[in-house]
Amino acid sequence: MQLDYPGDRCLNGRFYKAALRRAGRLGRGGRALREPKSKLSRRIAGLEARLGVRLIERSSRRFRVTDVGQSFYERCKAMLAEAERAEALVAEAQSEPHGLIRMSCPTGLVEPISGLVTQFLAQHPRVRLQLVAIDRLVDLIEERIDVALRVRTSLDGDASLTMRSLGNSVRILVASPQIASRIGDIAGLADQSTLSTTDDRGEVNWFLETDDGRTHTLRHEPRMGCADFTAVRAAAIAGLGVALLPDHTCRQAIDEGKLVHVLPAWRGMKGLVHLVFTTRRGLPPAVRKFIDSLAAGFPRDALAR
């Protein structure tokens, strides 16, 4: 069935915006659409002729929507609602993003995204951002977080959350050139001081693996433990021990020769870097645009060679 659009304004006036059903008679329906009764009557008659069915039973004293007219009206009403939502979505996209965005981010990923965040705020001066740098799992609803950046070995399975994958993060062994020169194989790692990225007391386990399937667990008492990657990186540069750090946090130090990638065949378990937010539908324009900006500009080359 061919329906004229935009000449008849979508579904022949979208069954005239369902005014016939709401108003109850042609005169009131015409006023609702700001059209003369005679014109509205002709348009309805034309629609009935094209469809080959009677949509409205009318006389000088009576006005009634037929059963098929009622069904047609219900479908038109649903399509009208979707069309209005689509128009609202476009209007939102065209409006200038504004308001507060609360984002949580692991401390080790603050540095890689800082340039992207700064650029976004410069482009959208009406947006305010609270960047919560924290390594524990946050409850988005309870803590009023709009979007969280997470690194996990597997994606979160919460059906109430929407996820958008960004890339992979790998932890690698690094040390100062002096310490790196003393390590010949994986067994030699046990003879070196270590630097841990945890605040927990006592023994720490490093689970290491290779691309060909070999695994090794190093159980050790770290000389220094700190959840802040920057502090651990500085300690490694100072020659205090071997660290297992996300590659993106020590790439520059390796390029400058301050750190050495120790035993490059071995690495920690790969982490999946992804954004988590409560829902796609109904997101404020600022949050939606921020998510799209992070996904488009995320420095994937900083996560893996």
Side-chain angles (χ1 to χ4, degrees):
M1 177 177 63
Q2 179 66 39
L3 296 173
D4 296 336
Y5 181 83
D8 269 340
R9 294 305 302 162
C10 181
L11 287 173
N12 288 273
R14 295 164 289 193
F15 204 27
Y16 311 115
K17 274 198 169 182
L20 304 178
R21 174 64 174 155
R22 293 194 205 124
R25 64 175 186 266
L26 286 176
R28 291 171 62 185
R31 287 193 295 274
L33 292 171
R34 297 183 177 85
E35 290 187 0
K37 175 181 175 180
S38 58
K39 182 178 179 180
L40 184 57
S41 181
R42 288 195 302 270
R43 293 181 66 185
I44 293 174
L47 176 59
E48 289 176 327
R50 181 178 312 167
L51 297 175
V53 296
R54 178 76 69 176
L55 299 175
I56 298 171
E57 297 288 355
R58 57 232 187 243
S59 67
S60 59
R61 300 175 58 185
R62 191 179 181 195
F63 177 98
R64 184 181 69 85
V65 179
T66 65
D67 289 343
V68 68
Q70 177 66 28
S71 297
F72 187 67
Y73 155 77
E74 295 293 344
R75 293 295 181 91
C76 290
K77 183 174 71 170
M79 295 181 69
L80 173 60
E82 285 299 321
E84 290 174 344
R85 279 194 287 268
E87 291 175 1
L89 184 64
V90 172
E92 273 191 0
Q94 293 175 335
S95 66
E96 182 182 354
H98 63 279
L100 175 65
I101 301 174
R102 279 177 52 81
M103 175 188 182
S104 70
C105 177
T107 55
L109 283 174
V110 172
E111 187 176 17
I113 69 167
S114 59
L116 195 59
V117 168
T118 301
Q119 181 181 12
F120 179 82
L121 292 176
Q123 292 173 345
H124 304 288
R126 296 182 61 195
V127 172
R128 295 177 292 118
L129 176 69
Q130 286 184 338
L131 186 58
V132 182
I134 191 168
D135 290 317
R136 67 170 174 81
L137 187 68
V138 300
D139 185 320
L140 274 69
I141 297 176
E142 183 69 23
E143 301 180 55
R144 297 186 179 182
I145 298 294
D146 296 302
V147 57
L149 184 59
R150 292 179 177 174
V151 183
R152 299 286 183 271
T153 55
S154 62
L155 291 177
D156 299 295
D158 191 335
S160 67
L161 299 178
T162 302
M163 282 154 282
R164 190 161 178 178
S165 179
L166 300 181
N168 294 319
S169 175
V170 181
R171 291 204 176 205
I172 62 174
L173 296 163
V174 294
S176 66
Q178 295 80 5
I179 291 182
S181 64
R182 306 175 197 158
I183 305 173
D185 54 28
I186 192 68
L189 201 59
D191 300 326
Q192 305 301 320
S193 297
T194 55
L195 307 168
S196 173
T197 56
T198 178
D199 295 329
D200 297 336
R201 297 178 59 184
E203 189 176 73
V204 172
N205 293 330
W206 284 352
F207 301 101
L208 306 172
E209 60 185 9
T210 64
D211 289 338
D212 59 11
R214 290 176 291 161
T215 61
H216 180 81
T217 300
L218 178 67
R219 296 179 175 85
H220 58 104
E221 289 272 358
R223 183 178 182 189
M224 170 183 163
C226 180
D228 182 71
F229 293 158
T230 303
V232 175
R233 180 181 60 195
I237 292 173
L240 298 182
V242 180
L244 184 64
L245 287 170
D247 55 356
H248 54 81
T249 66
C250 47
R251 180 65 49 77
Q252 183 176 347
I254 292 174
D255 291 341
E256 294 174 352
K258 297 177 181 178
L259 288 175
V260 174
H261 186 178
V262 178
L263 303 174
W266 293 89
R267 54 170 169 74
M269 297 178 67
K270 288 185 177 180
L272 301 174
V273 183
H274 56 288
L275 295 171
V276 181
F277 42 100
T278 53
T279 179
R280 186 66 181 174
R281 174 175 288 187
L283 283 176
V287 176
R288 182 184 297 111
K289 191 170 286 291
F290 185 55
I291 290 172
D292 291 341
S293 178
L294 287 174
F298 193 78
R300 290 171 176 81
D301 59 340
L303 298 181
R305 287 191 183 276

